[in-house]
Amino acid sequence: MAHSSELQSNGMLSREQLLFLFDRFSQLTSQPDVKRRIKDAVDDKQEAVAVTTAIQEAIFLEMGVDPSFGISCLGKVNMVYENDQDLMIRFYKFVASDSEEMACDEAELGPEEFTEKMLNQQKLHEQQLEMLKYMRKFHLEDQSAILEKLHQQMQDADFIGAASVLSSEQIQDVVRRRV
């Protein structure tokens, strides 16, 4: 490891450095020992995000970048690289990091509950897709009314996932009430 005086601490991370960070982070958070670290942190009532931040900091050190500088650069990526569409897509995937969220969920829930959650999530996405396909059969004004009803239903249910679907009967009812 480089001494702190040799670590990059000014300028901006290059495109190559950012891509390395995104790939390395994804690779590390999918490894069983890292998942176990996250699970252990959760079991010890620590924030899982603290572990994933420590992983990012370790990657920055591996790259010869001062970790606090590297993390501060992440806040500037969308300004500096706004015209690099490929990098921005990779950045948003990293920021919305499914791998980080999934590793945290898996650690918090355990393997059986995590698998069940993933299956329920998949089922919910399929129901949402079917609902959207069904909605497209109606006029735009009806679609707006349906979406308004859906929004109200989600608000009333505190935005829990299951509230994000209307049955075909509920959709037909909304359209009938408009007429």
Side-chain angles (χ1 to χ4, degrees):
M1 181 169 48
H3 290 83
S4 59
S5 62
E6 299 169 17
L7 295 175
Q8 179 184 351
S9 60
N10 59 22
M12 179 60 184
L13 294 176
S14 70
R15 181 181 203 282
E16 291 70 28
Q17 286 174 305
L18 290 166
L19 292 174
F20 179 84
L21 171 70
F22 304 159
D23 292 342
R24 186 84 173 111
F25 183 77
S26 178
Q27 175 195 16
L28 288 173
T29 54
S30 65
Q31 293 179 352
D33 60 317
V34 173
K35 289 181 180 183
R36 196 167 22 268
R37 265 178 63 196
I38 295 170
K39 180 177 179 2
D40 292 345
V42 170
D43 291 346
D44 292 342
K45 306 285 185 249
Q46 298 171 21
E47 287 291 321
V49 174
V51 176
T52 55
T53 300
I55 292 167
Q56 291 171 12
E57 290 172 343
I59 296 168
F60 282 127
L61 286 173
E62 184 182 317
M63 294 166 54
V65 174
D66 177 89
S68 56
F69 167 73
I71 288 176
S72 75
C73 283
L74 292 176
K76 303 175 198 163
V77 168
N78 53 359
M79 289 184 299
V80 176
Y81 293 101
E82 66 184 340
N83 296 323
D84 185 338
Q85 188 175 5
D86 179 54
L87 182 73
M88 290 310 300
I89 290 169
R90 299 275 302 275
F91 175 64
Y92 287 122
K93 281 182 183 172
F94 170 77
V95 170
S97 189
D98 286 343
S99 56
E100 179 176 359
E101 187 178 328
M102 285 174 62
C104 294
D105 278 352
E106 190 173 358
E108 290 168 1
L109 299 173
E112 295 84 18
E113 279 185 70
F114 176 72
T115 301
E116 186 178 329
K117 179 180 179 174
M118 291 290 94
L119 290 172
N120 288 337
Q121 201 75 18
Q122 178 68 34
K123 187 177 167 187
L124 180 63
H125 287 297
E126 289 168 8
Q127 289 172 334
Q128 289 169 332
L129 184 61
E130 288 305 310
M131 178 190 72
L132 291 171
K133 285 179 186 174
Y134 184 71
M135 273 178 56
R136 290 176 67 185
K137 297 176 181 178
F138 296 95
H139 293 291
L140 287 177
E141 298 83 26
D142 292 333
Q143 289 180 28
S144 286
I146 294 164
L147 289 173
E148 199 169 302
K149 165 74 174 161
L150 183 63
H151 183 259
Q152 186 61 53
Q153 178 174 301
M154 289 177 68
Q155 264 186 327
D156 293 346
D158 243 358
F159 295 94
I160 60 165
S164 65
V165 177
L166 292 173
S167 69
S168 55
E169 294 80 21
Q170 289 172 303
I171 291 173
Q172 289 169 356
D173 188 50
V174 169
V175 173
R176 269 195 303 273
R177 288 177 188 212
R178 276 198 75 247
V179 174

